[in-house]
């Protein structure tokens, strides 16, 4: 089947793939009945049905456009690079953080609760396994999470929501833009027509207008923008003044030894 279009009722981020066959379901049931200490490993595919894009699916950011996220080396290159990262992430955070679990997240949570699956290893950074009800200590976030921020100086941890509030205070124009953008995405998610006025209001002033287009969401919760970061203020760590980095394994970064 054509994997480039979603099933009716699902967002465009969800590939059009056939459901599991009866034979495949029976094989899964047999595996769970005949094995102990079953670990589920998940990736971007469990989240595409709730509107979170992936990188390498049929409509993925890398597959379609060759988009590459910021690397660890780029993030550490200086304040300008970090301002670019946080400006994009700031605009997309409201929509990303309010994402709800998919049927896959809920189903896996039930399997864990009933003892059929002992734990989950996920490459995703969206915390949707937790939202679905799986205990935090039974989910290994291989690539970390966008929901926490660490100071690279003193190691202090804070939540991304706390940092989002600080960013909003320091960047009121970006905060107003983020609010308008969230409203536009809400209209789209409800299947309502987005007017040219809505689009124009939602678009950043630094990006040339394109009729009928809303800024593109990217897989890790950020938004594709031109000239992102210009004039955007990123606060330092409140404890030591150090650099704040999302608790995420960036491209070009190393996995912590503990994982």
């Amino acid at each position: 089947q054509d994997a480039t279009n979603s099933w009716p009722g699902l967002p465009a981020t969800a590939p059009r793939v056939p459901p599991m066959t009866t034979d495949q379901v029976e094989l899964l049931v047999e595996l769970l009945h005949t094995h102990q200490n079953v670990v589920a490993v998940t990736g971007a595919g469990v989240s595409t049905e709730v509107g979170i894009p992936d990188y390498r699916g049929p409509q993925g950011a890398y597959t379609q456009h060759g988009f590459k996220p910021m690397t660890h080396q780029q993030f550490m290159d200086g304040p300008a690079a970090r301002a670019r990262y946080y400006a994009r992430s700031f605009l997309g955070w409201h929509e990303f953080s309010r994402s709800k679990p998919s049927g896959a997240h809920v189903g896996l949570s039930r399997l864990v609760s009933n003892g059929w699956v002992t734990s989950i290893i996920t490459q995703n950074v969206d915390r949707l396994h937790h939202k679905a009800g799986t205990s935090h200590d039974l989910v290994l976030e291989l690539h970390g999470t966008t929901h926490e921020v660490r100071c690279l100086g003193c190691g202090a941890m804070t939540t991304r929501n706390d940092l989002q509030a600080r960013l909003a205070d320091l960047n009121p124009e970006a905060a107003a833009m983020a609010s308008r953008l969230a409203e536009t995405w809400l209209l789209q998610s409800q299947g309502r027509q987005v007017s040219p006025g809505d689009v124009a209001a939602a678009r950043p002033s630094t990006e040339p207008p394109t009729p009928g287009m809303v800024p593109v969401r990217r897989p890790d919760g950020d938004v594709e923008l031109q000239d992102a970061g210009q004039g955007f203020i990123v606060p330092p760590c409140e404890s030591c003044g150090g650099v704040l980095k999302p608790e995420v394994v960036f491209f070009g970064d190393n996995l912590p030894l503990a994982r």
Side-chain angles (χ1 to χ4, degrees):
Q1 296 193 33
D2 181 5
T4 61
N5 298 308
S6 297
W7 293 107
L10 291 178
T13 51
R16 188 182 180 97
V17 294
M20 292 178 66
T21 65
T22 300
D23 288 344
Q24 289 172 327
V25 173
E26 289 177 351
L27 283 174
L28 176 59
V29 171
E30 180 183 358
L31 182 146
L32 294 175
H33 273 287
T34 57
H35 293 78
Q36 297 180 340
N37 298 322
V38 175
V39 176
V41 181
T42 67
V46 297
S47 297
T48 53
E49 286 190 8
V50 297
I52 296 178
D54 61 7
Y55 282 109
R56 297 182 177 88
Q59 295 295 309
Y62 184 80
T63 305
Q64 289 290 318
H65 309 289
F67 172 80
K68 297 180 180 180
M70 180 172 287
T71 65
H72 174 81
Q73 293 76 13
Q74 289 171 330
F75 185 86
M76 298 303 299
D77 190 47
R82 292 189 285 274
R84 175 176 176 267
Y85 173 86
Y86 276 116
R88 292 160 48 107
S89 178
F90 176 80
L91 290 179
W93 177 250
H94 175 79
E95 187 72 9
F96 184 76
S97 63
R98 66 188 288 271
S99 297
K100 297 180 180 180
S102 69
H105 296 107
V106 174
L108 282 170
S109 179
R110 291 174 178 171
L111 289 173
V112 172
S113 297
N114 291 320
W116 296 108
V117 171
T118 58
S119 60
I120 297 171
I121 299 174
T122 184
Q123 299 180 69
N124 299 340
V125 298
D126 51 33
R127 283 266 159 105
L128 291 182
H129 284 297
H130 301 73
K131 283 188 177 182
T134 305
S135 176
H136 183 94
D137 61 341
L138 297 180
V139 180
L140 172 61
E141 296 172 307
L142 194 62
H143 293 161
T145 177
T146 55
H147 289 252
E148 295 178 353
V149 179
R150 180 186 297 275
C151 173
L152 298 181
C154 66
M157 297 286 291
T158 186
T159 68
R160 177 52 202 266
N161 283 334
D162 286 344
L163 177 59
Q164 188 77 359
R166 294 180 67 194
L167 290 169
D169 288 341
L170 293 170
N171 303 277
E173 291 185 5
M177 183 194 308
S179 178
R180 296 193 301 269
L181 190 54
E183 292 173 1
T184 303
W185 275 325
L186 179 60
L187 291 175
Q188 288 185 324
S189 69
Q190 295 172 343
R192 297 166 62 183
Q193 186 69 33
V194 178
S195 70
D198 294 326
V199 173
R203 293 189 70 83
S205 59
T206 56
E207 190 172 359
T210 303
M213 292 294 291
V214 174
V216 177
R217 294 174 63 195
R218 291 304 184 191
D220 296 324
D222 54 350
V223 175
E224 182 67 15
L225 300 173
Q226 295 181 7
D227 302 325
Q230 292 188 3
F232 193 82
I233 302 172
V234 179
C237 172
E238 292 183 299
S239 299
C240 74
V243 172
L244 297 176
K245 178 179 178 289
E247 186 67 348
V248 169
V249 178
F250 280 45
F251 277 62
D253 208 346
N254 294 317
L255 287 175
L257 290 176
R259 298 179 198 165

